[in-house]
Amino acid sequence: MIYRLSIFYRFVLSFVLGYFCMMYLSLSLMSLFSQILDKAEAIYLAAFISILFYLAFIILSFCAHSLRKLSLTSLLLTGALFGLSAGLN
């Protein structure tokens, strides 16, 4: 039962926090790229980079052995990307 709960926790952590990281990264990149590129190109490039980041986040979260380190790293990354997006907007 513990193994099933840890797999469920890893699944929820990777997909939910990965989505929030992707969302905040996309907002940050869009505000950075909009100063250099046109608005449509900035949105497209930010979304593409964020989707690649999301895929890498999911793959790496299932490669990590320790759930504590994964939880701490994911929460810190989400907080840092939130702070970056709040600071840029």
Side-chain angles (χ1 to χ4, degrees):
M1 188 68 175
I2 298 294
Y3 179 73
R4 289 181 183 181
L5 286 175
S6 68
I7 294 297
F8 179 72
Y9 176 72
R10 186 180 299 262
F11 180 79
V12 169
L13 185 79
S14 65
F15 283 99
V16 172
L17 284 182
Y19 177 77
F20 284 126
C21 284
M22 180 187 75
M23 180 181 63
Y24 294 135
L25 180 66
S26 178
L27 289 172
S28 301
L29 288 176
M30 188 183 67
S31 64
L32 285 175
F33 290 154
S34 66
Q35 298 172 359
I36 301 168
L37 303 169
D38 293 332
K39 187 168 183 159
E41 292 172 349
I43 292 171
Y44 179 74
L45 185 60
F48 185 71
I49 291 172
S50 296
I51 289 171
L52 290 177
F53 173 80
Y54 183 59
L55 290 174
F57 186 88
I58 290 171
I59 290 170
L60 292 176
S61 68
F62 281 101
C63 292
H65 293 290
S66 174
L67 282 178
R68 289 182 185 159
K69 288 181 184 177
L70 176 64
S71 300
L72 182 65
T73 305
S74 299
L75 289 173
L76 287 175
L77 185 61
T78 304
L81 289 173
F82 173 73
L84 181 66
S85 69
L88 290 175
N89 291 328

